[in-house]
Amino acid sequence: MTFPHKIYDNYSLLQKNTLGLPSTARYYAEVGSVTELRCALAFAREKHLPVIPLGGGSNVVFGEFLDALVVHVNLKGKAVLSRDRDCVRVRAEAGENWHELVLWSLENKAYGLENLSLIPGTVGAAPIQNIGAYGVELKDSFVSLEAMSLESGLVEYFDRQSCDFGYRDSVFKREKRDQYVIVSVTLDLDATLKPNLGYGQLGDLLARRLGNQAPSAVDISQAVCDIRREKLPDPSEVGNAGSFFKNPEVSQLTMDRLKQEYPNIVAYQIGRNWKLAAGWLIDQAGLKGERKGRVGTYQKQALVLVNHGGATGQDVLSFSSMIQRKVNEMFGIRLEREPRLYMDDIGKIPRHRSRDQDNQDAI
Ligand code: FAD
Ligand code: NAP
């Protein structure tokens, strides 16, 4: 088989992950079309290697050597598919930058993504953890996606139901993990702005800026960007992967216990359960701004782990385990990591066999 685009071996991923971790991929390919993607997957099948799809690298922790084919998904294109009085349907290819899609949607008078401004990464990764911020999630506007099966090389269609989105979660983190490369996403956006300002800090900032005047979508987007720039480290300056842990969800019973001991605990009711602010738990455990060697928590937001320079994936992993242990000791709560770890578990990623290998076995 011939591979029309370049596949690099022993490729450094240092510039390809926002934590800035040193890592080498055994093979690396950048794909700009479905055909190139199919060829890259065939290459991995032939070499009997696992495939790791990569977007902006803003939600991954890499070990020092990845015995895999890392496929940088770089399919480009975005379009308005239809528009009526209520709804603007848009489609974007997986390699588009998420924040640029948000800005483009606003230019096209299509609303609903403004609270998701400035989230790093690509469109194709957005459904993986159902990205969310300031009270809005991808699933609120999601219609469908197309994804190539690593097994068959065929492009399959997933509607909202089959993605089974949850809080920073989807079927692609569970039952269908490591089985697909997302190639495009279709969203239904609003033709008129329906501001979602329920998130305290956002509403407050806009009220200070605009008084009683109703905010435009651009006002909201700019406010979100300003709050984020103020509070979060810019990965181009300080290596980080955003929130390192998910906010844990606990039962009413656990909440009652915690509230008795910690009356100021920061928590939000969701249905019958409570969502605890993981950043607050870490802060209370005395770990805000903590540093161990080359890794630490960010001064302004304890939920963000930062690479102070020269850290490895193992350093990050050890530091995060220490946080999990201390929070568990203090509150009896187990924090779950949010970014995907590609460390020693790479061997567990399924490898797909080429037809030639199957035929050889059959002889
Ligand atoms: P990558 O890091 O490249 O990949 C993440 C995972 O998705 C990997 O397992 C990868 O294999 C898989 N993947 C990537 N592309 C594809 C594809 N096309 N098909 C199949 N699998 C794929 N997240 C939020 O939800 N809300 C936030 O507000 C937020 N803020 C952040 C702020 C900062 C400063 C940073 C650094 C991160 C933040 N994040 C946030 C996390 C991150 O931006 C999102 O998870 C984002 O969607 C990751 O996109 P990516 O392209 O960088 O994915
Ligand atoms: P924050 O405003 O300091 O709030 C702390 C936590 O409390 C957040 O994680 C948020 O949960 C929750 N919260 C705050 N106000 C809430 C409300 N009115 N209703 C329900 N929950 C509320 O958080 P932050 O760190 O500055 O982040 C702001 C937003 O950007 C959050 O939505 C956060 O998830 C998102 N963000 C995500 C990442 C990431 O990597 N995943 C990184 C940076 C920021 P939620 O997280 O559930 O919203």
Side-chain angles (χ1 to χ4, degrees):
M1 174 167 306
T2 53
F3 302 101
H5 60 289
K6 194 131 179 66
I7 293 183
Y8 303 87
D9 59 1
N10 291 314
Y11 189 91
S12 168
L13 300 172
L14 184 67
Q15 305 293 334
K16 303 283 181 187
N17 72 98
T18 62
L19 264 165
L21 303 173
S23 179
T24 301
R26 177 149 165 219
Y27 291 104
Y28 174 90
E30 184 165 311
V31 297
S33 69
V34 164
T35 309
E36 286 183 357
L37 174 59
R38 195 167 281 130
C39 287
L41 300 189
F43 175 86
R45 239 178 267 133
E46 195 170 281
K47 298 265 181 209
H48 205 42
L49 282 171
V51 171
I52 299 178
L54 182 65
S58 62
N59 215 16
V60 287
V61 181
F62 285 150
E64 289 185 60
F65 182 71
L66 307 186
D67 193 8
L69 170 68
V70 173
V71 177
H72 181 211
V73 182
N74 202 26
L75 286 77
K76 297 286 188 187
K78 40 192 186 291
V80 173
L81 299 182
S82 63
R83 180 187 291 272
D84 63 25
R85 223 168 43 111
D86 303 317
C87 174
V88 186
R89 179 161 290 188
V90 303
R91 173 188 151 118
E93 304 310 301
E96 286 289 336
N97 175 275
W98 175 263
H99 180 60
E100 282 171 21
L101 175 73
V102 174
L103 298 182
W104 172 88
S105 69
L106 300 185
E107 280 163 21
N108 280 277
K109 302 194 175 359
Y111 308 111
L113 301 182
E114 46 286 343
N115 292 39
L116 301 178
S117 297
L118 215 59
I119 296 181
T122 55
V123 167
I128 302 287
Q129 74 157 7
N130 177 30
I131 55 168
Y134 301 96
V136 173
E137 291 179 320
L138 176 81
K139 77 167 166 48
D140 301 334
S141 50
F142 182 88
V143 177
S144 63
L145 61 80
E146 290 179 315
M148 187 179 288
S149 157
L150 296 181
E151 173 82 55
S152 66
L154 298 176
V155 174
E156 297 178 23
Y157 173 91
F158 290 78
D159 61 12
R160 191 200 310 217
Q161 204 183 351
S162 48
C163 290
D164 196 17
F165 290 119
Y167 178 63
R168 306 289 186 271
D169 194 34
S170 77
V171 74
F172 300 103
K173 285 186 122 183
R174 292 179 270 110
E175 300 89 309
K176 303 233 179 273
R177 179 172 144 134
D178 296 324
Q179 294 177 35
Y180 289 91
V181 178
I182 294 170
V183 293
S184 73
V185 175
T186 299
L187 305 173
D188 270 351
L189 302 179
D190 295 322
T192 49
L193 175 65
K194 297 175 184 140
N196 186 333
L197 308 177
Y199 223 83
Q201 216 185 344
L202 179 59
D204 292 349
L205 177 62
L206 284 162
R208 278 203 305 280
R209 284 187 177 173
L210 303 170
N212 289 332
Q213 193 190 319
S216 68
V218 171
D219 290 331
I220 298 171
S221 171
Q222 278 171 355
V224 168
C225 291
D226 291 342
I227 296 170
R228 294 183 70 102
R229 287 197 182 101
E230 167 62 28
K231 192 163 180 190
L232 294 167
D234 177 349
S236 68
E237 290 163 13
V238 185
N240 76 95
S243 305
F244 205 83
F245 302 99
K246 290 187 191 179
N247 290 322
E249 205 177 306
V250 298
S251 66
Q252 182 68 53
L253 203 66
T254 306
M255 187 60 205
D256 291 343
R257 170 181 68 78
L258 289 167
K259 190 93 189 156
Q260 249 185 356
E261 224 176 319
Y262 305 98
N264 298 328
I265 190 164
V266 180
Y268 300 87
Q269 189 147 24
I270 17 172
R272 293 162 65 182
N273 290 339
W274 289 83
K275 177 181 73 178
L276 307 178
W280 186 88
L281 301 175
I282 299 169
D283 191 356
Q284 294 302 302
L287 297 170
K288 193 175 192 176
E290 176 77 356
R291 178 173 179 166
K292 285 260 182 309
R294 301 171 287 197
V295 185
T297 50
Y298 191 55
Q299 276 292 352
K300 294 183 188 171
Q301 168 53 297
L303 196 48
V304 177
L305 300 200
V306 295
N307 176 359
H308 286 295
T312 63
Q314 195 52 53
D315 294 334
V316 173
L317 191 60
S318 307
F319 187 78
S320 69
S321 300
M322 181 275 290
I323 291 179
Q324 284 175 317
R325 199 180 57 252
K326 293 217 164 158
V327 166
N328 199 11
E329 279 165 12
M330 188 162 172
F331 298 99
I333 301 286
R334 169 109 189 129
L335 292 180
E336 189 189 334
R337 292 186 189 93
E338 185 184 289
R340 173 74 191 266
L341 305 182
Y342 292 102
M343 311 278 294
D344 300 336
D345 59 342
I346 285 207
K348 293 188 201 140
I349 299 177
R351 290 147 206 254
H352 298 287
R353 297 166 63 84
S354 68
R355 287 201 191 90
D356 289 350
Q357 288 161 345
D358 288 341
N359 289 342
Q360 271 169 19
D361 285 356
I363 293 168

